Amino acid sequence: MSSLRGVLLLGLSVVSVSLAAVQPGFNYGSDKVRGVNLGGWLVIEPWITPSLFDNTGDSRIIDEYTFGKYQDHAKAYRTLKTHWDSWITEADFRKIAAAGLNHVRLPIGYWAFDVSGGEPFVQGQLPYLDKAVSWARKYGIKVIIDLHGAPGSQNGFDNSGQKTSNPSWYRSQSNVDRTNAIIKRIANTYKDRSNVVTAIAALNEPFGPLGDQMLSVLKQYWYDSYSNIRYPYSNSKKQSNTYLMISDAFRGLDYWRGFMRPPNYEGVIMDIHKYQIFSTAEVQRSKSEHIAVACAEGASLASFSPSNLFAVVGEWAPAATDCAKYLNGRGVGSRYDGTFPGSTRVGSCTGLTGKASTFSAEYKTFLRQYWEAQTRAYERGIGWIQWTWKAEIADEWSYQAGLANGWIPQNPTSRAYPNICG
């Protein structure tokens, strides 16, 4: 593993370089980030597109790794190509821009670049990444390229590409080296297009609670990513205008106070994700409690950003339950209705997930209130990026469905409940 000496040497080298002002493609810290994630497109997830998994007829297929492992490769490729061609198109970028949004966060997995470890993933995603950047340029949208999965898995979640109880990214220098090489490749590809690709999120949701070794490796990886993204040119002193986005790794903002602060580090954004659904205690909250917790997040964001890093809430949703089919994994139930192992039933999921046509007027009102509370609070940082633009049968998560059914305003600054947070 990389040594502390490496960290210190990098820190000294950064200090010694005369830092020119970063000229980002978006005025982070001045203009608010208002965006949406393009989830389920170039990284497939069972809950976003359950049909892709159900249509295999194979219960062993629970993530993108097994999607390639347990199917004929050519068949899996045909299925994914059809999905890549249709799930997100230029029309979606046009609609996102028309909705007043200024960012998309675009998840992509390491396997789009590298399967040298013999992984069974299907490749072919990269042309669609290029299309997305072109469409974003056309409609004036900024892109954050998000490395959503790393070799060995950084968290064990199915959305890392491989669901596992033994995530090993941080325990293998080869895994880390492969990941660094991918970040170098992304940074080099887009270094002169920072007017569109404004930031690279170097790793989605690394699981900090795995312990000190994980956090030590992760911090060095953030330093390495800073060099790879901010200094991609052969002239080692020439900076790019591309921002590095790092994750709080489920440790909270306070853990990262003082980390990679300016002026020694420039062009770094902290990404935090806020959901109130992945524990029994959270799904037991009343509607008013969900709203109050969301509103309270604003204070920590407001106190962190001025003297540390810009902080953006890069994932969140109006959903207040884990009722969406396969949200906790293919074949796994929900805490809310007591079908998740070891959970205590709160109530029925009927009318809380699925298509908006099944939602009551009261529930839609709550979705609007909760959406407004969160966006209000998160704009006390530098802004927000909702998860996700669309989903097959989980409209409570879908920005597109929210626009169509009234719980998300056509202008994201419009407020039906301007005093929702007091």
Side-chain angles (χ1 to χ4, degrees), residues 275-298:
Y275 297 114
Q276 296 185 44
I277 54 176
F278 292 115
S279 71
T280 298
E282 288 173 314
V283 296
Q284 288 175 337
R285 289 173 182 159
S286 67
K287 293 181 176 67
S288 60
E289 287 171 337
H290 279 296
I291 290 169
V293 169
C295 289
E297 296 288 356

Side-chain angles (χ1 to χ4, degrees), residues 71-272:
Q71 292 189 91
D72 173 75
H73 187 87
K75 178 184 177 183
Y77 174 76
R78 287 194 301 270
T79 301
L80 286 177
K81 187 176 187 306
T82 299
H83 170 70
W84 297 330
D85 284 334
S86 58
W87 186 248
I88 297 292
T89 67
E90 181 178 342
D92 290 289
F93 278 80
R94 183 172 63 248
K95 292 172 184 176
I96 289 167
L101 300 177
N102 52 39
H103 276 71
V104 295
R105 180 171 174 262
L106 178 48
I108 194 163
Y110 78 91
W111 55 92
F113 304 88
D114 173 13
V115 289
S116 63
E119 297 91 351
F121 290 105
V122 174
Q123 293 187 297
Q125 298 89 346
L126 294 183
Y128 297 92
L129 177 59
D130 286 337
K131 285 183 181 181
V133 172
S134 296
W135 294 333
R137 178 187 294 109
K138 181 175 179 179
Y139 294 101
I141 296 169
K142 308 306 179 183
V143 178
I144 299 167
I145 298 176
D146 157 47
L147 190 66
H148 218 67
S153 181
Q154 73 277 17
N155 53 33
F157 306 158
D158 59 10
N159 57 53
S160 74
Q162 186 174 12
K163 186 176 182 179
T164 175
S165 60
N166 187 32
S168 61
W169 172 77
Y170 69 103
R171 289 190 278 109
S172 163
Q173 188 61 47
S174 174
N175 287 342
V176 177
D177 290 345
R178 290 172 69 190
T179 313
N180 274 319
I182 290 164
I183 292 300
K184 279 187 177 181
R185 181 173 169 183
I186 297 171
N188 186 62
T189 300
Y190 296 103
K191 63 181 182 292
D192 296 318
R193 286 183 270 178
S194 60
N195 60 324
V196 181
V197 179
T198 54
I200 298 169
L203 191 59
N204 177 67
E205 295 186 347
F207 199 65
L210 287 169
D212 290 343
Q213 183 185 0
M214 171 59 152
L215 289 165
S216 176
V217 171
L218 181 62
K219 289 174 184 176
Q220 181 60 52
Y221 176 71
W222 293 149
Y223 288 123
D224 293 341
S225 294
Y226 185 86
S227 291
N228 293 334
I229 293 169
R230 300 286 298 108
Y231 295 89
Y233 298 97
S234 55
N235 177 352
S236 62
K237 292 187 178 182
K238 181 180 179 181
Q239 294 187 83
S240 74
N241 289 313
T242 311
Y243 269 57
L244 161 65
M245 183 174 283
I246 67 175
S247 166
D248 79 329
F250 301 100
R251 300 297 296 182
L253 290 176
D254 284 345
Y255 178 85
W256 298 98
R257 288 186 183 274
F259 185 74
M260 295 185 82
R261 287 172 56 179
N264 291 345
Y265 298 89
E266 299 285 352
V268 183
I269 295 173
M270 176 62 72
D271 176 25
I272 59 174

